[in-house]
Amino acid sequence: MRLKALKINPRHANGWESPLLEFGQRTTSLFAPNGSGKTPIVQSIAFCLGMEVKFREDICDNCISATLTVELNGGDVDIERNFSDKTFVVRSAGGTWQADNEAEFSRTIFQELGMEVPSLVAASKKSTIPYVSTVLPIFFMRQDGGYLGAYTPSKTPFIQDQFVEMLRFVFGYPPKRAYDVQKSRLDQKAKLEHAQRRLVFQQQIVAKLAEDIDDSPAVAQQLRQQSLGLTQQIDELRNAADKRNSADNALVELLKVKDEQIGRLRRARAELQARVDGIDGIRSEIEGEIKTLSLNEESRRVFLRFEDICAKPDCGLFMSSQETYGKNLLYLKDQIKDLENNVQRADAQIAGYDENIRSQEAERNMLRERVRQLGAEDDSVAIIVAVQNLTRELMGVEQQLIGIEKLSAEKKKYIQFDEDRFRIQDGIASMTKTGRADLGFNQLRGELEQLTVKWMDILATPNVSRRVSIEPDFKYKFGNEYLDIFTGSGRARLVLAIHGAIFEKYLEVESRPFRFLILDTPKQHELESQDLARYLVALQQLCDKNNAQIVVSSTEYRHPIETQDKEWLPSYPFPDQLMYLGKPVQ
């Protein structure tokens, strides 16, 4: 896209217009004193391309629209934009079409320029597209606010990481935050949060069951063997010919098993009590560490005023202890809390063991009494009693086996949930942009760093480090200082150097469509004429080499023009001075 001509159109017979202002093949210069209307002329170029511009009331009252003629795909295209309703009318050899909003206009212009319009993430997290006006701040430096930063749009950015996204767009790199990818990432993050909550809940279920159930392989195998033995004994009682002997032997065997169970329970309780006693010792040691840590912190506070020891403000004598005290104290208290939780669970288990032992001892005493009384009872009663006791014991064993199976199933679910969470995390990680595209964009950053230094030297930028670095979000640093730390002439020169570097790198590829740089020069006190002249000459050499254009508007400095250039001067007479806008000639 090259600039061909500009025309301001009158609203009525006595309104204001401009002549047909033709752009130079290389340089277009506007030179006139303040108050002659240079700013509305320069702003109208950007306005026709969609930029938000606030014109003064007298302009809107006397002018109806601005028409910008550009060369597009080898043909001329007229873009007319109304000052009142901001609508666009575009005329070309292929016909005329109207755009009621900037999005529609921008989508069509980008399509004509052969630029694939990406779907980006808006500040509102919704889908949006770039506009021509969001690209323009790279190629247009307005005097009002344009020298405050490397990228200064006319209204609040509505695209996330707008400067980076626009650079990636115009240089042909894929977006940093493509909306489709970003939306999928947000969906996956929501799934990850659900998976994490589900995993924590499942962990609590497993921990609760594990408090009362020992699902170790040895215990499970022992219970299965015990269940099989009890079942066989019950079958023998039912089928044995000598019912009396069978009942007697079954009760004796059951009494033996009961004694073994009580012994196992007592051993398990003793082991658990030993663990509790050990935990009490560990807790005492940790409490001692906390007391020592607190004493150290109190000692540090005695020297809270650094001047008592070291007069340097950045001494840092107690910095390490001050930073780590809170962390260590919190860590030790968390340990005590975990130990207390373990003790509470262990106490609950010990109480369960005590209750179980009392129950088993009561059943053992009952079995002993039954064995003693067996001789006084008939065979039928003995068999019934033996079967009842064996069945009750079998049911207890089966319940324990069911608990083990349930705990095993819940553990499998926990493992499955953990695997699901890992897959989601892996999917989110795979969405992070990597590969050749980012390598190319990082290489672009490095080349722009070097070119920025070159243009700083052209502008004779004083007292600024040449160690330029560009962060991934395209914040410029000069040594250890960011761009926004500079003011006045220093910042103006740096902004000009940044735009010169970007423009030079952009023009290296002949097919890139934006072939112009519009420069509303900074005020005279911010940039001396000889430095501006040297900068413009370097830009002209760049344009000669790459078939590009520059537009320069200045009050104090009049840039010399050559045959391939154009100079726009005010031509409409007003009482005080000539103006760029005036009544149509009758």
Side-chain angles (χ1 to χ4, degrees), residues 248-467:
D248 189 19
N249 293 338
L251 287 174
V252 171
E253 184 64 26
L254 187 58
L255 184 60
K256 180 181 177 181
V257 170
K258 189 64 64 177
D259 288 334
E260 291 177 355
Q261 286 181 337
I262 293 172
R264 284 197 303 271
L265 288 173
R266 286 176 174 170
R267 287 193 298 272
R269 185 194 183 285
E271 291 176 0
L272 192 58
Q273 184 63 51
R275 284 168 52 191
V276 172
D277 296 339
I279 289 174
D280 289 339
I282 295 173
R283 180 169 56 188
S284 298
E285 293 178 4
I286 293 176
E287 288 174 347
E289 290 184 27
I290 291 176
K291 184 175 181 181
T292 301
L293 189 64
S294 299
L295 289 173
N296 288 339
E297 176 63 10
E298 290 176 5
S299 298
R300 186 192 66 78
R301 289 174 179 171
V302 171
F303 301 103
L304 189 59
R305 288 183 54 86
F306 290 162
E307 293 82 353
D308 294 342
I309 310 174
C310 177
K312 292 179 63 179
D314 57 349
C315 176
L317 178 61
F318 292 108
M319 185 177 298
S320 175
S321 63
Q322 185 176 10
E323 292 175 350
T324 59
Y325 168 69
K327 295 180 181 178
N328 290 337
L329 184 61
L330 182 61
Y331 172 72
L332 293 173
K333 288 186 176 181
D334 285 343
Q335 282 190 313
I336 287 183
K337 185 177 179 181
D338 291 339
L339 292 174
E340 290 175 348
N341 291 336
N342 291 336
V343 168
Q344 290 177 359
R345 288 194 294 268
D347 288 341
Q349 288 183 279
I350 289 174
Y353 277 128
D354 290 339
E355 179 64 25
N356 200 357
I357 289 172
R358 285 193 294 271
S359 175
Q360 296 293 339
E361 286 178 342
E363 292 186 12
R364 182 187 61 182
N365 293 335
M366 183 184 67
L367 286 173
R368 285 178 176 173
E369 181 66 18
R370 287 296 184 188
V371 169
R372 189 183 65 79
Q373 295 176 354
L374 188 62
E377 299 176 352
D378 58 24
D379 293 342
S380 299
V381 173
I383 293 174
I384 292 173
V385 170
V387 170
Q388 287 176 342
N389 284 281
L390 289 171
T391 302
R392 186 166 53 252
E393 185 71 16
L394 178 61
M395 289 178 62
V397 172
E398 293 294 336
Q399 287 178 352
Q400 293 182 63
L401 287 172
I402 292 173
I404 290 175
E405 291 176 358
K406 183 177 181 180
L407 177 57
S408 176
E410 296 297 339
K411 283 185 175 181
K412 289 180 180 178
K413 287 173 64 176
Y414 176 82
I415 294 172
Q416 182 62 48
F417 291 166
D418 193 35
E419 291 176 353
D420 292 343
R421 182 185 64 168
F422 177 78
R423 280 196 297 270
I424 296 172
Q425 289 174 327
D426 190 52
I428 293 174
S430 68
M431 293 180 185
T432 303
K433 188 175 293 298
T434 56
R436 297 175 62 95
D438 267 3
L439 288 175
F441 192 67
N442 290 334
Q443 183 178 355
L444 171 66
R445 285 167 46 208
E447 293 173 350
L448 288 178
E449 290 170 353
Q450 299 176 15
L451 288 173
T452 300
V453 175
K454 167 189 169 181
W455 286 92
M456 288 169 62
D457 292 337
I458 291 173
L459 286 159
T461 308
N463 304 321
V464 180
S465 172
R466 264 47 176 181
R467 186 163 52 88

Side-chain angles (χ1 to χ4, degrees), residues 58 86 110 114 139 164 208 224 277 292 324 426 429 468 491 508 514 528 584:
D58 57 351
K86 311 296 177 61
F110 286 140
F139 304 99
V164 176
K208 185 65 177 176
R224 293 188 188 96
D277 296 339
T292 301
T324 59
D426 190 52
V468 178
R491 184 184 291 196
E508 287 183 0
F514 293 96
E528 297 178 4

Side-chain angles (χ1 to χ4, degrees), residues 37-82:
K38 293 191 307 299
T39 298
I41 295 295
V42 175
Q43 288 179 332
S44 294
I45 303 172
F47 178 72
C48 287
L49 293 173
M51 183 170 279
E52 181 75 17
V53 176
K54 292 182 179 180
F55 292 98
R56 293 185 60 178
E57 186 176 350
D58 57 351
I59 300 292
C60 296
D61 289 341
N62 290 282
C63 304
I64 188 170
S65 64
T67 303
L68 177 67
T69 303
V70 298
E71 182 183 324
L72 197 61
N73 296 330
D76 289 350
V77 176
D78 292 333
I79 303 171
E80 182 178 356
R81 192 177 188 193
N82 191 287

Side-chain angles (χ1 to χ4, degrees), residues 208-219:
K208 185 65 177 176
L209 290 175
E211 290 178 358
D212 303 320
I213 299 173
D214 184 354
D215 63 337
S216 62
V219 172

Side-chain angles (χ1 to χ4, degrees), residues 555-568:
T555 299
E556 292 87 1
Y557 171 71
R558 188 172 187 177
H559 190 65
I561 62 171
E562 300 178 12
T563 56
Q564 71 269 45
D565 305 325
K566 294 287 186 180
E567 186 177 51
W568 295 352

